[in-house]
Amino acid sequence: MTAFPSNEEDANLMMAASQAHIPTDKATSKAAADSTNNSNTDALARSNLLRLETTELIKEATLHLHPNGNDSSIHYEAKWAPTVRGYVSNLSSLLSALEGCTLSPEVCLMSSSASGGGGVKEKGMEQLNGGGGVESTKYRVPLQSDKFLKSLPGGSAAAAGTPWTFPFSGRVKVLPIGSYAHIGNAGLTNRHANGNVVPTLDLAVLVKGGDGDDDAFVGGKDYLNHRFTDKQNILAVHIAKQLSHKKHRSKIGSVHLTRVFGDSRKVALLLTPPTMENDDKKKGTNKKKKRKKGDNDDSNGGEKMKYKLRFHVRLIFGVEQEQQQNEDNSNRHQNDDDDDDSSMDTEGSYNGNNNDMQVFQSWIPISRLFPNRSNNRGAGKSSSAESTDVNHRPTPHYNNALSESLHLQSTTNLISDTISNTFFGSNAVATPTTTFHETLLLIKIWALQRGLLRGHDSFTTSTIALILVYLYRTKTIGKRMGSVQAFTTFMKFWSEADWLGEDAATTSAAASSGSPPLSSAAQLLARKMKRKAAFVIPADGKNESQTVAHCPQARHYREDIRSSSNDDNVPMTLLDCYKQCFTTASSSSSSIPNDYHSDSPILLDPTMTINYLARLSPSFVRESRAEAYAALRCIHGQERDGGMGSSGSGGAFRTLFLETNRFWTRYDAYVRIPLSVVPKMMSQRSSGKKINDGDVRVWGRDVEDLGYDESACRGVVEVLNRALGDRITAVRLFTSGNGDIRKDGTSSNQSVENIGTKALEDSDQCYAVPIRGGIGSSSSTLTSAFVAKPGGRSPEPPVHSLNQDEPCLVVGLRIDPNASRRVVDRGPPAEDLEGSNAFVSLWGDHAQLRRFQDGAIVRAVVWNLPVSPKNSVVESMPQFASMDRSMGGIVEKVVQHIVKLHFTESKLIKKGKAKQVSFELRSMVGLVDGVSSSPKPSPLSDSFTLHKNVMSAFDSLAEFLRQNSITMIDHSLGADKKASKLGLPLKIDEVEPLSPSLRYSSLFPPVPHPLLGGTDQGTDKRKVSGAVEGSPVLIQIRFEGSSKWPSSLNAMGAAKCAMLIQLAEGIEKMKQNENLDEFDGPIDVTPTYLDIGYRGYSWRVIVRADQELRMLKNLSNPTDEAKSLRLSLINRHVRGSMHHSLIHAVHTRHPSSSLVSRLAHRWVSAHMLSDMIPQEAIELIVAKIYTDPHERATSKMQSLDVPPSTVAAGFFRFLQVLSTHDWANEPLIVDPQSHITANDRGLIMAQFNSIRDPDLNKGPAMYIISPADYDGVEEMTGSKVVGEDGSAEAVDPAGALERVWSPTYTSKFPERVVLHRASALAKCSLDHLTSCIVNGSSESSWVAAFQESSTSLTSYSALLRVDNAFVTDTGCSSTNADSVVGATSKQDSNGEVTSPFQRSLLKRYSGPKDLRKKMYKNLVLEKGTLHEWNPVKSLISRLRSKYGEYAVFFYNEFSPDIIAMIWRPAAFVPKAFSAMMSEYQSPVLKVWKDDSLVITNTDDLMSEIGYAGRDILADIKVLDDKKPDPTSTEGKRQKK
């Protein structure tokens, strides 16, 4: 009950961090003061900007629809508000005209012909009463009460065949509730601020409760055993049928059954107003578009007029609150003769005498609403001879669900009273909005963008409003605070309160990492209860403590325990009772037993009879708190793009309210768990039976309290959380309300004929079933029905129709990349019997006794054991070589084992029919890695090992060059003459890697070639490739400093070439004198590089001469050629080396990042963007994804913005950055190791803004900055400056204040047209892959994201088809890519499973057919092996250099079967004739303007292009010849 202190001004909150350190030195003090002032100014500006942006958002999103319109509200409410009032009025009239009748469960039968319990036969449905037939009775809604089940055939002997009926007087009370009824419509937003879903207006349909009243619908002990909810559901179906009559469709529209707050046990009605209305033809043609207000009569016929759907109406059923009574009714239920309730308490309602406190009145005895009461018990439990504690387990969630139906009206009044008393007072005039309204709207949009609002297990607008009510009533939010301040306070409150009592817990982490738990389950539960926060909304005029002290319900609880309880474990206060009942021993420890998952946060109303947050699960609380903490960091300036002080456009506002980050984009892996057998297992669990050996009470014992859906959902999440432990940082279930909101899913085109028969399409995946239609209906939209099961009261799940996929649960996992690779789960010590039993019950037979090096003998689970029949289900899927690095370690294996053990029936496992579970899009890894689970894995299967091999060869080559270049005195050359074994006059100081294959970035890493000193890796031993596919491995050498280097540029180039020649001769000489088998193949020397073969790899060696860089820098008047040469040398030698080190460090720290980079490279090439987006740019974007500043260690909260742990998640983020980053307005700053200071960031932004013109068309299109992208970087050697003589001097920090930052790898490419195309393709690919996850992807459905469609190909201007002889690997084609992970047709007999990566790598290793050479045992082949073979790439280079001003050329470097062209529009603008510029020009034939006489001739261009590629191209197809249409031109001339 701690009240949080109120916040200061937003700017002050943002300034607080800057005052942590007090400088002592004067100069430092002045600099620090200036920095503080700048920081304060930035914080103030950021705060003001956020305030202005939120003001505009509130203005655009606010919606006013007053239930009772008046003259003062007309000027600011929506124009269609009268339509809403008219609809509600018609609805209220229909409900008030309901006739009295007798209701029974037959109202809910799916078939109207079924009466007296008759059934409907359907193929494939088992009879659940134990018979052998296929007959079952299906109902529209779940019916679970004991009275209903006893009335079924086969039920209780005393009541078998006796129908259960109850009277309905026809009198109901209809009241607006929720946002529609709040003062000023607090929380009501328009469609665009509501996730593209029209707003839903809530109406409460209240019935009377009590005894002795003819109008009472519920009474007696209807609160027991689902009797109340069954009555409500039957009444809901009855009213739905009345409203869906044909005579009411023109007024009411369609009627759907839906769920209340995601609770499957409680049914509500969702009404969709008709979108077609009648317009009387007699009114004349001039009045067809006008309608009289409220005119919905269609009796006269007329023309149909369609209008836009504006709203839905939801009918929520509850009980009318009773007036305060004077007499004591405590004994009014004692005469109930229900034989099942003899063990139930008979306390009545409490009548308090304190007039200052609100007294809650209800037909339910007040003591029955205590959270420790058991109001719902399974059949036979009261007479069971087992544990009394099990038979009388409390049902806090069930009790709270009862209270919800009683508090519908009072909850709305509580919110409205708070708004009125806080802002208006008794005499003030109400205004349209207040700070409360604005704050609620901001929180609602923030939650909606993150999937935290609406539906099951999420916030509702009312729960958010109630938290705000608490904050306002406790003065945590002041009346004078602005909406941004109030929003910040809400985030602080929600993120810092210990809602679950687990913030300080260390048990889970310790137990998961292998050490034994610190305490038993009881001690853990006691600690959680002590730490858990519980809040009570203060009553009017009282604070929180006074409200609790004077609450009649709390006082009645104290009296109750004094008189009836002698147990020391019973809490002494009602608040502690809530803590005890809404807290369990749930943890991420596999050694803590827990089969009951009722954890929930606690926020009570002033009467302490309802917990407003009881529906929120622990997984939701953890995720929402982490999001709230991230929102605080964002508001305080710690943004994702650059940490403190980032000033990108949009900034906090865009991150908080515009960016969508819902379920399908939040997690590393997604798992689908089929639920075909869970219902049967649930029934047996609830009755105390065992399912499998070793499966003892892990989940499902809370079904009576939570209901089937919630018990299954929480059970799956908690069991996975226990099993995975610290391998994951978050686990969340996909439910209605947190799905995809990008599509507009509301159906507004339903005709009158089929209205009410189609399922409502909601973009939030909210559950909605039409009331019309049944099992026999031909409608394909029927989703599910409910089966009644006599004998036993375990609730049954919906039975889906046969034409639909099997229902499943989708679980999202956020994986810790480090802990996920742990291969041993160690159990508790042997003396901890409770923990050992819990460990064995969780893991089953996998938990075996093992002895460890420390001498301990404990049970443990080992995950790197060889495949055995016991885990055949787990190991039957292809296992990739980099599973541990790319798929989150062994998380998938753990999930598969847990699902098999606890969520799969043993019969299906024995029959081999158990469905396998796996990560979605797992086969996509096959594009960058091979399969290692084959009986004989190929040496080409592990891409990581292939990279390691080439790196090992590089280390060996570098050592060879360094050691053999050491100069020593050689007397044969003369006195004091020095030479080395290689004959080099200078020692090689450094050998630096530059190639992507030396930093894990090469899509196809090089494979040792047998003619270059390697071993044969292919399958065909008779042939070997005569060329190396791809580019050689690039490295550079640096010689020791010397004054003998030439002083002219031309001589410097000659000296570098001479060094390469001498190196080649030295290697040849050493090969003759020494046995150097590692060197093989030809040695080629060019003026700029040297190609050699070493250990099977082709190496390209270049020379880096720092003296050359200094010489170019010291030129007094450098020419343009000198400037260009200097920049080229710096980029190639200096920045290239620094880039390599940066990317190598990222890939080493984050193992999956290298595979993401390679997969992104494959995607770019597949869309024919090779060389248009540099590979270095791809690597920097991936590095940005993995190395944004996170500050995870500084907070107890789990971080949401953590690096991805799987390839799929990382690739998703790559596509997201490429498609959503504002390239025109913001640079992308990549700084993995925080080398770029805040001052540098300011310089980067200033220089970026100065380059861009108002039209945003100047400067590089893709502006990516890394730590090496500043002028003068060549002078840096670590932290030293290289002087003229090669010595190192200290760095002057003042020189860093005037750095010039500019992109290195994206300065010229990609062009704007290419970047726009890439962004559009990234968005389409992201949408497609997301849909694959949402819909359950097949093995190769995702491959469309890596292919060009036929429509995309037609968008090009011309297509140049390459001869097949120049295409080595067709599996990487842009039109027909290979995506199958399995055995190929030639390998089926061997059973070898391969991936597309393996097959492509083998093709590339085999080389072009025309260049393959035959091998013989006794014949040595000639050494004429080509070090590089890229004919198509060479052709592309020539075309771009010569014809790049006329067209843009696209191709796929890995499978260049097509070269595509797009004409540049600027090249076809008529211009003046010039003899010197007349190439490829033709006269303008028809229309001449001024001096525009010639235009580009496409025929000449295509002829030249065809001639340039005559040896490579097979065909040319021109789709757009850019010729003017003579017909249209002649028509324009005649018109003139």
Side-chain angles (χ1 to χ4, degrees), residues 377-488:
R377 302 178 181 178
K381 281 199 172 183
S382 60
S383 58
S384 175
E386 298 179 9
S387 172
T388 304
D389 180 68
V390 173
N391 293 335
H392 298 276
R393 198 152 197 173
T395 56
H397 287 270
Y398 177 87
N399 303 348
N400 202 75
L402 293 176
S403 296
E404 284 180 342
S405 299
L406 306 177
H407 279 272
L408 293 177
Q409 185 178 356
S410 62
T411 299
T412 301
N413 295 338
L414 177 63
I415 298 172
S416 295
D417 291 345
T418 302
I419 298 173
S420 177
N421 297 337
T422 304
F423 296 97
F424 306 139
S426 58
N427 299 322
V429 178
T431 57
T433 58
T434 64
T435 304
F436 187 99
H437 296 78
E438 296 174 353
T439 306
L440 179 57
L441 186 145
L442 293 178
I443 299 173
K444 179 179 179 180
I445 296 176
W446 169 84
L448 183 62
Q449 292 291 71
R450 286 150 182 79
L452 305 178
L453 184 72
R454 287 205 301 248
H456 170 263
D457 191 18
S458 61
F459 284 131
T460 65
T461 306
S462 294
T463 54
I464 297 175
L466 289 164
I467 298 174
L468 283 178
V469 166
Y470 172 82
L471 296 177
Y472 270 98
R473 291 199 173 197
T474 56
K475 308 301 181 183
T476 306
I477 298 179
K479 178 180 178 181
R480 299 181 182 275
M481 279 187 177
S483 57
V484 175
Q485 289 176 277
F487 177 84
T488 305

Side-chain angles (χ1 to χ4, degrees), residues 1061-1079:
I1061 294 175
Q1062 181 59 48
L1063 177 61
E1065 293 177 351
I1067 293 175
E1068 288 285 4
K1069 184 177 179 181
M1070 291 186 65
K1071 288 172 62 177
Q1072 296 175 3
N1073 299 332
E1074 303 178 20
N1075 186 17
L1076 296 179
D1077 295 335
E1078 294 176 326
F1079 286 95

Side-chain angles (χ1 to χ4, degrees), residues 707-749:
Y708 165 77
D709 280 353
E710 187 66 14
S711 180
C713 292
R714 294 200 180 195
V716 168
V717 171
E718 292 301 326
V719 172
L720 288 178
N721 194 35
R722 284 184 59 194
L724 294 170
D726 63 346
R727 291 188 177 96
I728 59 173
T729 59
V731 54
R732 181 87 169 108
L733 198 71
F734 169 67
T735 60
S736 62
N738 62 359
D740 188 11
I741 64 172
R742 289 175 295 177
K743 297 179 180 180
D744 184 6
T746 51
S747 300
S748 59
N749 56 350

